[in-house]
Amino acid sequence: MNANKKSRWFYFKKNLPLTVMALPGVVLMVLFKYLPLSGIILAFKKYNIRDGIFGSAWNGLKNFEYLFKTKDAWIITRNTLGYNLLFIALDLVLAVTMAIVLNELHQKKTAKVFQTVFMAPYFLSWVVVSFIAYSFLSVDNGFINRTFGTEITWYSQKSAWPFILIIFQVWKTLGYSTVMYLGSIVGISNDYYEAALMDGATKWQQIKYITLPSLKSMMIVLTILAIGKIFYADFGLFYQLPRNSGPLFPVTNVIDTYVYRSLKENGNIGMAAAANLYQSLIGFVLVLSSNFAVRKIDKDSALF
């Protein structure tokens, strides 16, 4: 056995426990991530359940034409992109702000209570959240109408729902992002802050010159990952929360809900596969592009 083979065998035995630990995750990834990739061909076929995936006839790009020639193509693309851009910006600013505020609380028990309160909505399903929203927005028994003596039909008011969607999205997801940033802040060495105090730095200057620069890498990574999913909408938010109300479709219909409704009405599996492939490709390109831009500005902050 030559030296090269001995070296490989040595490293294999050395890393065997780690390999065994990683094996279940690798198997799950192969089964549920890589094998389903064969279903991509559905985007280019006229699917027939009797013929199956591979036996169905090819139809080229007709599934994509069906998706993009509809009168709703612009609306669902605008809504998906617009809402996600707002969510990314608000999540970044508010989560970092809340993490810094919680970190500055001197009583740790109080900080933990606030963390729990902010984190709790994240574990609620959108079905539960939709009923919470309905208790506020119901025409007859809603908290808002009963409190202010109005009879507003909230589930047909298009102008109000962009704000309602943003409020509930932030309320539900802010805690999770806050905890992630808070964990990074806790990991910053106290030596930096002690040195800043000795130099006479104010609290704002400590945040500006120590905390925020230390969070920069995480902020960039999370933003890049969020940009990669910018063409994916939270189905529960846009379907469950508005309670599938028809008058609200112009402001609540996104790519995911449009595909779901098309499947329910037409059973067009090929079109659904085409939409999913379109979302995946755009997300892939956006991740590469945003990471490339970050590498040009600051190589060390790039995701890869």
Side-chain angles (χ1 to χ4, degrees):
M1 185 179 294
N2 58 38
N4 191 26
K5 289 184 178 180
K6 285 182 179 180
S7 178
R8 289 179 181 177
W9 177 247
F10 171 77
Y11 282 110
F12 175 76
K13 288 199 301 181
K14 181 181 178 181
N15 296 314
L16 183 60
L18 296 176
T19 304
V20 173
M21 290 174 61
L23 192 60
V26 172
V27 172
L28 288 174
M29 182 168 288
V30 170
L31 289 176
F32 296 104
K33 296 294 183 180
Y34 289 102
L35 289 181
L37 286 175
S38 59
I40 288 176
I41 64 173
L42 278 172
F44 307 96
K45 287 198 168 191
K46 186 177 182 181
Y47 180 72
N48 188 316
I49 192 170
R50 288 174 295 183
D51 298 326
I53 296 176
F54 299 100
S56 299
W58 294 92
N59 68 348
L61 299 176
K62 289 186 179 179
N63 290 326
F64 294 92
E65 292 177 7
Y66 177 84
L67 175 64
F68 293 111
K69 284 188 176 180
T70 175
K71 62 180 181 180
D72 297 322
W74 159 246
I75 293 175
I76 61 176
T77 302
R78 178 202 64 193
N79 289 345
T80 305
L81 281 173
Y83 282 121
N84 280 331
L85 284 171
L86 281 172
F87 293 158
I88 291 171
L90 288 173
D91 183 75
L92 178 63
V93 174
L94 295 178
V96 171
T97 302
M98 290 305 304
I100 293 173
V101 170
L102 289 175
N103 185 63
E104 294 300 325
L105 290 176
H106 298 294
Q107 296 185 357
K108 296 304 177 184
K109 289 185 178 180
T110 305
K112 289 182 179 179
V113 170
F114 278 111
Q115 288 179 42
T116 303
V117 171
F118 284 125
M119 193 68 183
Y122 180 78
F123 297 102
L124 298 176
S125 72
W126 279 113
V127 176
V128 175
V129 175
S130 70
F131 281 102
I132 294 174
Y134 186 73
S135 68
F136 280 89
L137 305 175
S138 172
V139 177
D140 300 322
N141 299 311
F143 176 79
I144 295 177
N145 282 352
R146 294 190 67 176
T147 301
F148 297 100
T150 58
E151 295 183 358
I152 302 173
T153 54
W154 291 102
Y155 288 92
S156 61
Q157 296 289 326
K158 292 188 297 183
S159 58
W161 272 88
F163 302 99
I164 294 172
L165 291 170
I166 291 170
I167 290 170
F168 276 94
Q169 169 69 10
V170 171
W171 173 75
K172 189 176 185 299
T173 61
L174 180 62
Y176 180 78
S177 301
T178 298
V179 169
M180 294 182 67
Y181 287 116
L182 185 60
S184 296
I185 294 174
V186 171
I188 301 173
S189 176
N190 285 327
D191 294 341
Y192 296 119
Y193 295 103
E194 291 173 0
L197 282 173
M198 293 178 64
D199 290 337
T202 63
K203 184 61 67 177
W204 166 244
Q205 289 173 329
Q206 294 174 40
I207 293 171
K208 183 178 179 180
Y209 295 109
I210 299 175
T211 307
L212 291 178
S214 299
L215 291 177
K216 184 178 72 171
S217 295
M218 173 165 278
M219 292 164 64
I220 291 172
V221 169
L222 293 180
T223 302
I224 291 175
L225 293 176
I227 289 173
K229 295 181 179 180
I230 202 169
F231 260 72
Y232 287 87
D234 192 329
F235 180 82
L237 171 65
F238 292 99
Y239 185 81
Q240 297 290 350
L241 193 65
R243 305 179 74 86
N244 198 27
S245 175
L248 301 179
F249 283 177
V251 293
T252 62
N253 204 12
V254 290
I255 295 175
D256 300 76
T257 56
Y258 176 78
V259 170
Y260 175 74
R261 293 187 182 106
S262 297
L263 278 172
K264 282 184 63 178
E265 296 172 4
N266 306 322
N268 194 335
I269 295 177
M271 187 276 292
N276 190 258
L277 180 59
Y278 166 65
Q279 289 176 306
S280 299
L281 289 175
I282 294 297
F284 177 70
V285 171
L286 287 173
V287 167
L288 292 180
S289 302
S290 55
N291 188 75
F292 177 78
V294 171
R295 283 181 65 87
K296 287 292 185 181
I297 299 171
D298 184 2
K299 187 177 181 179
D300 293 333
S301 299
L303 184 60
F304 51 85

